[in-house]
Amino acid sequence: YLSQCVDIESLFLSTVLCSAQHSAQPETRQVNGIVGTVFYFPERVLNSGNLLYGDLGSIAHVYPGKQSNTNLEKRYKNHLHWNNVTGVFTLSDLQIYDSGVYTVENTDEGKTKHIFQLTVYYVLSKPQVTVHDDISCSVMCSVENGREVTLSWYKGGEILNQTSSPDHNITLSLPLKLDEQNRDSYRCEAANPVSKETAVVPHSCIESDPSKVTDGDERTRGCLIIAVICVLVASGLVGFAIYLKKRRNGHSHAGISFFTG
C-alpha cells in the first residue's frame, strides 16, 4: 500500500512538473515582413546569446565583448546582422524564403527565449479593371496572386464578392456586372496582411450608363434632332418648289407648241 502511495505521489509530481514546463514555454509571436526591407527582431541580446532558426539551430552567436558570428549558414552571409550597441538582430533584404520560426535566446542574465513566427510578403501591385461590355458594363478585376492575397469587389462599404487561391503562380480574376445606377460607387480591392491596393471602374463604362446623361447632353441631343428635322423639311420644300417650277415650265412649252401649230 505504501509503495502504491509513493508511485501515485511520483506520478502526481511528474505531472505537475510537466505542466509547469509546458506553461513555461514562451508564446510564439506572429510577425510580418516585406520583401526587400529590413526586419528588426523586437528582443535584445546585449552581451551573450543566440539567434536560432527552425531546424538549423543557431545561425548567430553573440560572445561577450565580440561581434556575432553570422557565417554559420551560407545563405545568411551579409544578410543577418547584430548591433552591438542596441543588441538587436536584423535581417536585411528580406525574401520569401526567410519566413519561418526564429528564437532569440538571451543568456545575459540566466536564460530567456523569445519565439517569433516570421511571415514575409510581397507588396501588392495595383489591380487592373477591364471592361468586357460597355453597354451592360460587365467588368473584370485582376491582380497577380501571392501569399494570402484576396481580391474583392465593393460597392460603397459593402463587399459583394471575393476570391483567393493557394496557387501563387496564377493571376487572380474576379468578374462583376454592375447595376445601371451608381456605377462609380464600385471599387476592386487587392489585399494581403502588409498591403492593400484599390482600382475603380473605368470611365468608359461609367459614361456609357444612360442614367449618367446630363441635362446639357439632353439639350444638345434635342437641338441636333430639331436641326435634322429642319434640314429635312427645308430639303423637302426646296424639292417641291423645283418640282412645281418644272411643271409650270412644262405647261408653258406645251401652250406655245399648240399655238404655233
Side-chain angles (χ1 to χ4, degrees), residues 61-261:
H61 185 85
V62 177
Y63 299 94
K66 296 182 180 181
Q67 293 289 335
S68 62
N69 179 0
T70 58
N71 298 321
L72 298 180
E73 290 295 329
K74 184 177 180 181
R75 71 184 245 191
Y76 288 102
K77 185 176 181 180
N78 301 321
H79 181 48
L80 175 62
H81 312 276
W82 174 73
N83 189 308
N84 61 352
V85 176
T86 63
V88 173
F89 288 107
T90 59
L91 283 170
S92 61
D93 190 24
L94 277 180
Q95 300 300 319
I96 292 294
Y97 57 70
D98 287 318
S99 300
V101 178
Y102 293 83
T103 302
V104 177
E105 190 177 71
N106 192 330
T107 56
D108 289 345
E109 296 179 2
K111 187 175 183 179
T112 59
K113 290 184 178 180
H114 304 275
I115 303 175
F116 303 93
Q117 173 70 60
L118 172 64
T119 307
V120 182
Y121 300 88
Y122 284 106
V123 172
L124 288 173
S125 57
K126 190 178 182 67
Q128 300 296 317
V129 178
T130 54
V131 179
H132 282 192
D133 187 338
D134 281 338
I135 297 175
S136 65
C137 208
S138 296
V139 295
M140 178 74 74
C141 184
S142 303
V143 72
E144 185 178 351
N145 195 23
R147 174 175 282 164
E148 297 180 44
V149 174
T150 58
L151 189 64
S152 311
W153 271 110
Y154 285 86
K155 183 178 181 183
E158 176 189 2
I159 185 168
L160 300 177
N161 51 19
Q162 186 179 84
T163 188
S164 62
S165 173
D167 186 351
H168 298 168
N169 298 316
I170 67 169
T171 297
L172 285 179
S173 297
L174 192 60
L176 185 70
K177 183 175 180 181
L178 279 60
D179 293 335
E180 292 185 358
Q181 296 183 348
N182 301 320
R183 291 182 176 178
D184 54 353
S185 66
Y186 291 85
R187 74 180 191 278
C188 180
E189 181 180 284
N192 67 10
V194 298
S195 62
K196 183 185 297 183
E197 291 289 343
T198 301
V200 296
V201 177
H203 286 293
S204 61
C205 186
I206 296 173
E207 292 171 354
S208 69
D209 186 351
S211 68
K212 297 294 181 182
V213 177
T214 63
D215 292 339
D217 295 331
E218 290 286 0
R219 285 194 295 271
T220 301
R221 183 181 298 176
C223 291
L224 287 174
I225 292 173
I226 292 172
V228 170
I229 292 173
C230 290
V231 169
L232 292 175
V233 171
S235 299
L237 291 174
V238 170
F240 185 69
I242 292 173
Y243 168 77
L244 290 177
K245 184 176 180 181
K246 286 183 177 180
R247 187 175 181 183
R248 283 198 300 268
N249 289 339
H251 283 299
S252 297
H253 286 303
I256 293 172
S257 298
F258 176 77
F259 181 76
T260 304

Side-chain angles (χ1 to χ4, degrees), residues 32-82:
N32 297 331
I34 300 173
V35 169
T37 65
V38 177
F39 178 77
Y40 298 85
F41 288 93
E43 292 293 340
R44 300 189 299 168
V45 174
L46 291 173
N47 296 307
S48 64
N50 297 277
L51 179 65
L52 301 92
Y53 175 73
D55 296 333
L56 294 179
S58 179
I59 56 175
H61 185 85
V62 177
Y63 299 94
K66 296 182 180 181
Q67 293 289 335
S68 62
N69 179 0
T70 58
N71 298 321
L72 298 180
E73 290 295 329
K74 184 177 180 181
R75 71 184 245 191
Y76 288 102
K77 185 176 181 180
N78 301 321
H79 181 48
L80 175 62
H81 312 276
W82 174 73

